[in-house]
Amino acid sequence: MPSRTALHEAEASAGAQFVDQAGWEVPRHFGNVEQEYQSAYKRAALFDLGHHGKVEVCGPEAAAFLHNLCTNEIKQLEIGKGCEAFFATLKARVVGHAFIYRARSDDGQDVFFLDTAPGQGENLARHLDHYLISEQVEIKDRTGEISQLYVAGPQAPALVQQVLGNDFSRLANLEVREAIDHADVKYQVRRHDFLGLPGYHLLCANERASEVWARLRHAGAIPAGSEAFETLRLEAGTPIFGRDFDDSHLVMEIGRTRDAISYSKGCYLGQEPVVRSRDLGHVNRSLLGVKIHSGQPGKPGAKLFRNDSEVGQITSSVFSPRLEAAIALAYVRRGSQQPGTELEVELESGRCKGEVSALPFLAGAPG
């Protein structure tokens, strides 16, 4: 039986239709997907991300421990800031992916919060624990223990300020702060424009989650489900572990090198193949965008062709109302990666014309 977030009962009462996502029962929609989608880019939408993996790493040697296992700079990461990173094998195949936030506990110790994809918290915690020998580090999978509400849209900063009583509009992307509101609810607030829109993760105790959800709704946030989230995610060109990449992919293939890989940090697990790939100047395939000249999205695994030769494969695809076309994230082979390159896309109705697109699809989204 799928797990449920702390908001399940409140969401059911609001008319949510649920779907299984990585072993969690989460809202698919609340009856009007188009309204939910529009609320995100016009006003503010409210998503339940309680099913996203949450791993906490703390202790005097936590920074060095994570630094040696992931692709980005952790030792120099400032308190209150975050970064994106991969965890890899010696051959640079993906083991995990996370947005890592650094904070300071009440007793003055470093605490790192790893926000990862649905269903991946336990796997990432297990991977980290495998490399824990004698370091003064504690690893906890907190998935299910903490609620995670996500408010996204142009009105999100004002709405969060109204509910929490604090102005977080100046938080930069991937910055984190602690807050307590007038109802004595304690939050961790993370700025993350994951959908290419101003976005705030509000993490709080499970027992206060329904109260916070109701207050956000009262302030004007529109509850939204996974269908609207997926459309916005693809428009922003944001890949997610388990759908767009897994342990069969190299960290260099996923199109996140600029944000998630540091070439100056020193040694870490998987570094050698990453540096070798940089020195060669290419990888054999890369995750890119594809615009499909049809209203029909491609299915995951659908093939891409150029001059009748297979050159790629779709991982995720949706219809984008703002672009008035179907779009996809896809792995495209070297030699066919230039934006504007014409392709044929394998659809249920037959092959359809398409073209390679740089990411994000929409201007303003983080690339």
Side-chain angles (χ1 to χ4, degrees):
M1 182 176 176
S3 300
R4 294 178 173 180
T5 74
L7 292 172
H8 187 277
E9 185 175 333
E11 290 164 339
S13 297
Q17 299 296 309
F18 293 91
V19 65
D20 188 311
Q21 192 173 97
W24 288 80
E25 196 172 73
V26 297
R28 181 178 181 180
H29 59 75
F30 288 82
N32 191 330
V33 177
E34 181 179 357
Q35 181 189 51
E36 296 166 28
Y37 168 80
Q38 289 186 0
S39 69
Y41 73 86
K42 291 183 177 180
R43 297 178 297 279
L46 174 59
F47 299 95
D48 177 9
L49 302 187
H51 61 306
H52 279 217
K54 303 169 190 63
V55 178
E56 182 179 309
V57 181
C58 61
E61 297 178 293
F65 177 74
L66 287 172
H67 187 87
N68 292 337
L69 291 176
C70 78
T71 59
N72 216 337
E73 171 64 57
I74 301 299
K75 289 181 180 178
Q76 301 302 318
L77 188 65
E78 296 178 24
I79 302 294
K81 295 190 176 181
C83 69
E84 180 180 357
F86 292 103
F87 295 85
T89 67
L90 276 170
K91 295 184 178 180
R93 295 202 176 274
V94 180
V95 175
H97 172 259
F99 295 93
I100 303 174
Y101 300 86
R102 187 172 193 170
R104 186 64 53 81
S105 67
D106 293 339
D107 61 2
Q109 292 193 69
D110 280 336
V111 183
F112 293 88
F113 300 97
L114 283 58
D115 185 7
T116 188
Q120 295 303 315
E122 182 179 358
N123 293 338
L124 182 55
R126 187 185 306 117
H127 170 72
L128 296 175
D129 187 67
H130 177 75
Y131 289 95
L132 186 60
I133 302 173
S134 59
E135 295 88 353
Q136 297 182 64
V137 174
E138 187 175 357
I139 302 164
K140 300 177 184 177
D141 177 15
R142 303 291 298 276
T143 309
E145 298 179 16
I146 302 170
S147 289
Q148 184 171 354
L149 297 85
Y150 185 61
V151 186
Q155 295 181 9
L159 191 148
V160 169
Q161 180 178 359
Q162 180 180 340
V163 172
L164 271 65
N166 293 281
D167 182 6
F168 295 100
S169 62
R170 294 185 180 180
L171 276 188
N173 195 35
L174 299 184
E175 287 192 343
V176 59
R177 297 290 186 273
E178 304 287 336
I180 300 177
D181 68 14
H182 61 82
D184 206 31
V185 178
K186 185 177 181 179
Y187 300 87
Q188 186 179 93
V189 182
R190 302 172 184 168
R191 174 71 184 264
H192 189 187
D193 300 345
F194 188 84
L195 302 178
L197 302 162
Y200 295 85
H201 294 285
L202 306 180
L203 290 91
C204 66
N206 282 340
E207 59 268 23
R208 306 300 297 268
S210 294
E211 172 191 345
V212 175
W213 192 76
R215 287 163 54 197
L216 288 166
R217 288 188 67 193
H218 182 74
I222 303 298
S226 61
E227 287 193 11
F229 188 90
E230 188 72 354
T231 300
L232 294 159
R233 179 181 75 83
L234 264 69
E235 289 177 340
T238 305
I240 193 167
F241 190 93
R243 297 184 209 172
D244 303 300
F245 58 96
D246 55 28
D247 59 9
S248 69
H249 296 96
L250 301 172
V251 299
M252 309 84 77
E253 298 175 335
I254 302 163
R256 304 301 299 173
T257 298
R258 185 188 69 185
D259 296 298
I261 298 176
S262 168
Y263 289 110
S264 61
K265 61 169 284 184
C267 296
Y268 61 90
L269 193 64
Q271 180 198 28
E272 288 186 13
V274 172
V275 173
R276 191 183 311 124
S277 173
R278 179 201 62 183
D279 294 343
L280 285 172
H282 66 264
V283 287
N284 290 327
R285 61 178 180 178
S286 294
L287 190 69
L288 298 168
V290 173
K291 291 182 180 178
I292 304 172
H293 299 168
S294 162
Q296 181 183 353
K299 287 190 172 182
K303 296 177 181 178
L304 306 176
F305 296 89
R306 184 184 181 196
N307 299 327
D308 285 330
S309 295
E310 184 182 339
V311 296
Q313 194 172 67
I314 286 175
T315 61
S316 300
S317 185
V318 297
F319 177 80
S320 167
R322 284 185 284 178
L323 293 171
E324 299 182 337
I327 57 174
L329 296 182
Y331 286 95
V332 182
R333 291 180 184 170
R334 184 165 56 97
S336 298
Q337 297 175 353
Q338 185 67 27
T341 300
E342 294 184 354
L343 304 171
E344 287 188 315
V345 184
E346 181 183 65
L347 301 176
E348 288 186 327
S349 57
R351 291 189 187 181
C352 170
K353 290 186 180 298
E355 65 179 84
V356 176
S357 171
L359 296 175
F361 286 101
L362 290 169

